[in-house]
Amino acid sequence: MIELKNINKSFGELDVLNDISIQFEAGKTNLIIGQSGSGKTVLLKSIIGLHEVDNGHIYYDDRDFTRMNFSEKKLIRKEMGMVFQGGALFDSLSVEENVRFPLDMFSEMSEDEKRERVLFCLDRVDIKKAHKLFPAEISGGMQKRVAIARAIALNPSYLFCDEPNSGLDPVTAIVIDKLIQEITKEYNMTTIINTHDMNSVMEIGEKILFINKGLKAWEGTSDMIFDTENKALNNFVFASNLFKKIKKEI
Amino acid sequence: MSFIENIGRYILFLNRVFSKPERGKVFFAQIIKEIYKLGVNSVGIVVIISVFMGAVISLQTAYNLVNPLLPDYLVGYTTRESMILEFSSTIVGLILAGKVGSNIASEIGSMRVTEQIDALEIMGVNSASYLIFPKIIAAVFINPFLYVLSVFVGIMGGLLASYMADTVSITDFLYGVQFGLIPYYITYSLIKTLVFAFIITSVPSYYGYFVSGGALEVGKASTKAVVNSSILILLANLILTQILLK
Ligand SMILES: Nc1ncnc2c1ncn2[C@@H]1O[C@H](COP(=O)(O)OP(=O)(O)OP(=O)(O)O)[C@@H](O)[C@H]1O
Ligand SMILES: [Mg+2]
């Protein structure tokens, strides 16, 4: 479980996040949704500590991340996996070496165990065949899979994904979403996903935080999202003709 | 960002670079990789420019020796002195600042803008140390060899040019090469080479590491890195010469 309490974050004059509080539960796919520029990435990066928050607290299963010193943060980072918006694969390393990297850096495994773990992770995301290729030689969807494999290599308790299916076709996007959800359940991870894709919201929105202009505007599940009175959320959800049509039919 | 701010940030950056590596084995493997990338890949360009420079120096000296009282062996002597004192350290340093510097700045810069550096940090890896420490060690280790190579092929270039243009005899040239050698000059130049190696790797790394934006900014950072490391090399050359040759 990850809990945020009164998170504020600004860059100079610009207030990006305003007093955000919420609990993200383990074994669930928790989504952060909102328009472009609403502060999703800043929130996610604040949670994992790539941005320092101005005030507020972030608890990782009751451990106050904001109060930790550098080496304590470093320890807890070994329990985190992150899938970046662009994949952020190391382009000088092959697919296999990318997944192996965290193992080389932090695990005490033997060579054989490492090899086995890498194959297991690549197999889990269904990309074992491409293991010798380099990031530049595989498609966007495959890069996302490799990024997921790398993120889960060390068996993290917390998984973060910044728009894991942006730039993918609808079919692949859902496959990736489902994959993340399955892995979340398998290992009972606390997974937080940034997205502005309504398909993802409907498919895997077990818990949803809607932020609007840096404020927490709504919190709920995908079942509740159609009945909301919240105007900003309504505008967000029913922006596309498809969802407008669905609403009429309901 | 002002000059003073840049200096401050550079020093803080170096402080992060020189922290204990995560894994000895990984660190060692990185150093070997970098020696190959920064050193072995620069052999070609160092050989080419050194041969030509040595050749040109020998011809210039020969055609300026119009006074019959000046001995022929001065051609070999001058070529050797120029290579040892200035060319093989400073000029090679400047050329490598262009080649290696732009390479490092764009490599680190593109890792920054594609979030690869963030990915390292979130794993708990000290990205500055992991990426840059091995580069500095590799360059400081390999550049003295490049220096020696440059001196050697430069003199060979001079010899070849003298022979082909028939300016002085090979015997005279080789006599000059061995004449009045002051070993301290080699020490002086090796010290310069070490300092330059540090500048060539750390300054471009710094510019690459703090890029923000996209491909355009990476290009700009790479240009800045080359210009500023070249200026720093010239400045260090002046200061070291005053200190070491006084
Ligand atoms: N490092 C930074 N320095 C200054 N301002 C920033 C920084 N990062 C983000 N911002 C600002 O914070 C606001 C929120 O940006 P953020 O990247 O979180 O949006 P987002 O919701 O992730 O959008 P998108 O869906 O397009 O990815 C924007 O106004 C942006 O300009
Ligand atoms: Mg974003």
Side-chain angles (χ1 to χ4, degrees):
Chain A
M1 190 186 79
I2 294 174
E3 188 174 5
L4 311 184
K5 275 195 181 151
N6 314 102
I7 296 296
N8 284 286
K9 171 73 194 166
S10 54
F11 293 103
E13 294 286 284
L14 180 73
D15 276 332
V16 180
L17 299 175
N18 244 312
D19 200 32
I20 303 229
S21 302
I22 189 166
Q23 281 190 5
F24 296 113
E25 286 153 50
K28 279 190 181 174
T29 40
N30 301 280
L31 306 192
I32 300 172
I33 64 172
Q35 279 185 23
S36 186
S38 56
K40 300 184 297 292
T41 299
V42 173
L43 180 56
L44 200 65
K45 287 191 172 173
S46 301
I47 297 173
I48 63 182
L50 283 178
H51 290 316
E52 191 105 15
V53 295
D54 300 337
N55 47 57
H57 296 272
I58 300 162
Y59 298 94
Y60 281 82
D61 289 304
D62 299 324
R63 294 169 293 179
D64 190 346
F65 187 63
T66 33
R67 290 247 173 117
M68 288 180 191
N69 62 28
F70 184 75
S71 50
E72 288 169 326
K73 275 189 182 159
K74 215 171 139 166
L75 273 179
I76 209 166
R77 283 199 165 148
K78 282 160 206 166
E79 302 172 35
M80 301 180 191
M82 169 91 187
V83 178
F84 283 86
Q85 199 159 349
L89 298 177
F90 303 127
D91 35 40
S92 60
L93 303 181
S94 69
V95 163
E96 192 175 4
E97 289 164 340
N98 261 283
V99 179
R100 198 191 149 92
F101 182 85
L103 304 177
D104 279 338
M105 241 28 204
F106 298 112
S107 80
E108 303 301 329
M109 292 179 182
S110 69
E111 284 301 306
D112 284 343
E113 286 169 327
K114 279 185 203 166
R115 206 168 304 126
E116 207 168 295
R117 179 73 191 155
V118 169
L119 285 181
F120 173 83
C121 291
L122 288 174
D123 199 31
R124 186 67 197 79
V125 298
D126 211 6
I127 196 168
K128 217 163 156 183
K129 271 193 221 124
H131 68 120
K132 284 267 175 274
L133 298 177
F134 282 82
E137 300 168 336
I138 59 179
S139 72
M142 290 159 91
Q143 290 181 8
K144 290 279 160 66
R145 288 172 194 265
V146 179
I148 294 170
R150 185 178 68 182
I152 62 171
L154 283 174
N155 246 326
S157 316
Y158 312 99
L159 182 65
F160 305 94
C161 309
D162 195 0
E163 304 198 13
N165 55 17
S166 67
L168 301 180
D169 65 87
V171 179
T172 313
I174 287 181
V175 172
I176 296 280
D177 279 345
K178 286 285 180 198
L179 177 63
I180 294 171
Q181 191 177 36
E182 280 167 30
I183 292 172
T184 300
K185 305 257 176 255
E186 259 169 60
Y187 302 104
N188 196 36
M189 293 188 288
T190 306
T191 298
I192 304 179
I193 302 166
N194 267 359
T195 185
H196 41 51
D197 179 17
M198 274 309 294
N199 285 320
S200 303
V201 171
M202 297 318 294
E203 289 286 338
I204 58 167
E206 295 179 80
K207 169 138 192 175
I208 300 164
L209 164 67
F210 173 61
I211 50 178
N212 187 30
K213 297 183 183 130
L215 287 165
K216 170 173 162 181
W218 187 83
E219 166 185 350
T221 65
S222 58
D223 303 332
M224 297 152 63
I225 211 161
F226 282 124
D227 311 321
T228 171
E229 301 292 312
N230 187 308
K231 196 154 171 285
L233 181 59
N234 257 310
N235 289 339
F236 181 83
V237 172
F238 300 110
S240 84
N241 283 330
L242 175 63
F243 279 90
K244 276 186 195 130
K245 212 166 158 186
I246 293 172
K247 191 183 190 184
K248 253 184 231 146
E249 280 170 20
I250 294 177
Chain B
M1 185 171 277
S2 77
F3 178 68
I4 302 288
E5 279 176 312
N6 258 314
I7 302 263
R9 199 167 65 160
Y10 176 67
I11 290 168
L12 290 177
F13 168 71
L14 288 182
N15 189 29
R16 289 202 59 207
V17 169
F18 293 119
S19 47
K20 193 177 162 290
E22 210 71 48
R23 279 277 159 105
K25 219 175 109 195
V26 176
F27 185 61
F28 189 71
Q30 288 284 101
I31 292 177
I32 302 295
K33 229 189 209 174
E34 296 295 345
I35 286 179
Y36 193 83
K37 259 186 4 201
L38 305 180
V40 179
N41 283 343
S42 300
V43 166
I45 188 163
V46 167
V47 166
I48 290 171
I49 54 169
S50 303
V51 166
F52 278 91
M53 278 298 161
V56 170
I57 291 167
S58 86
L59 292 182
Q60 283 176 348
T61 314
Y63 296 140
N64 280 298
L65 283 185
V66 280
N67 187 337
L69 286 179
L70 292 174
D72 276 358
Y73 68 75
L74 263 185
V75 174
Y77 174 79
T78 309
T79 307
R80 184 203 72 208
E81 288 295 273
S82 311
M83 295 308 291
I84 285 185
L85 276 171
E86 195 58 13
F87 183 81
S88 297
S89 52
T90 311
I91 307 293
V92 167
L94 287 172
I95 305 262
L96 291 183
K99 181 185 180 286
V100 171
S102 62
N103 182 309
I104 291 179
S106 52
E107 178 192 329
I108 307 265
S110 63
M111 290 190 77
R112 166 62 77 194
V113 299
T114 57
E115 297 183 309
Q116 294 175 51
I117 290 183
D118 286 340
L120 285 170
E121 288 291 323
I122 182 67
M123 285 176 196
V125 177
N126 175 346
S127 57
S129 163
Y130 171 78
L131 293 171
I132 293 145
F133 203 174
K135 288 191 196 301
I136 296 178
I137 294 192
V140 166
F141 171 77
I142 199 74
N143 280 24
F145 290 99
L146 291 178
Y147 167 77
V148 172
L149 177 71
S150 165
V151 171
F152 179 75
V153 295
I155 291 172
M156 287 299 129
L159 183 68
L160 198 67
S162 305
Y163 173 72
M164 297 208 311
D166 202 14
T167 50
V168 294
S169 73
I170 292 182
T171 326
D172 279 339
F173 189 93
L174 288 178
Y175 177 78
V177 167
Q178 294 159 62
F179 177 80
L181 178 69
I182 301 171
Y184 178 69
Y185 283 179
I186 297 179
T187 315
Y188 150 77
S189 271
L190 280 174
I191 293 172
K192 290 205 299 185
T193 302
L194 295 180
V195 174
F196 297 162
F198 179 78
I199 293 173
I200 291 166
T201 41
S202 68
V203 172
S205 297
Y206 166 78
Y207 280 102
Y209 195 80
F210 288 104
V211 165
S212 66
L216 192 65
E217 281 76 12
V218 174
K220 281 186 195 155
S222 163
T223 310
K224 256 194 215 158
V226 173
V227 171
N228 289 337
S229 42
S230 302
I231 293 173
L232 275 177
I233 285 176
L234 295 174
L235 202 64
N237 188 30
L238 185 69
I239 295 169
L240 287 172
T241 304
Q242 171 63 15
I243 294 173
L244 295 172
L245 290 191
K246 194 169 64 177

